[in-house]
Amino acid sequence: IVKIIDPLINISIYVLLFLLGLSVGTNQTIIKNLDTLGIQAFLLTLGAVSGSVFFSYFTYKFFFQNK
């Protein structure tokens, strides 16, 4: 049953991402404010990745590294 469901889940995800892209691409408010939204999205992504790397490093250092 997993062999049947796995491809269906992947196809469903691709269709949903495509529909999300269509809805964002046809939204004039988003398109008009793309420069501002792009900067905010970049900063949010940069903060999330930096925080993840920072806390992953210290978690590894304090809990998993042999001293």
Side-chain angles (χ1 to χ4, degrees), residues 9-19:
I9 290 172
N10 285 336
I11 291 169
S12 299
I13 290 172
Y14 293 143
V15 168
L16 287 172
L17 284 171
F18 177 74
L19 293 174

Side-chain angles (χ1 to χ4, degrees), residues 11-43:
I11 291 169
S12 299
I13 290 172
Y14 293 143
V15 168
L16 287 172
L17 284 171
F18 177 74
L19 293 174
L20 177 65
L22 274 178
S23 68
V24 168
T26 58
N27 188 333
Q28 291 301 317
T29 305
I30 292 176
I31 298 301
K32 288 179 183 175
N33 295 317
L34 197 55
D35 55 340
T36 304
L37 293 172
I39 293 169
Q40 291 174 349
F42 174 74
L43 292 175

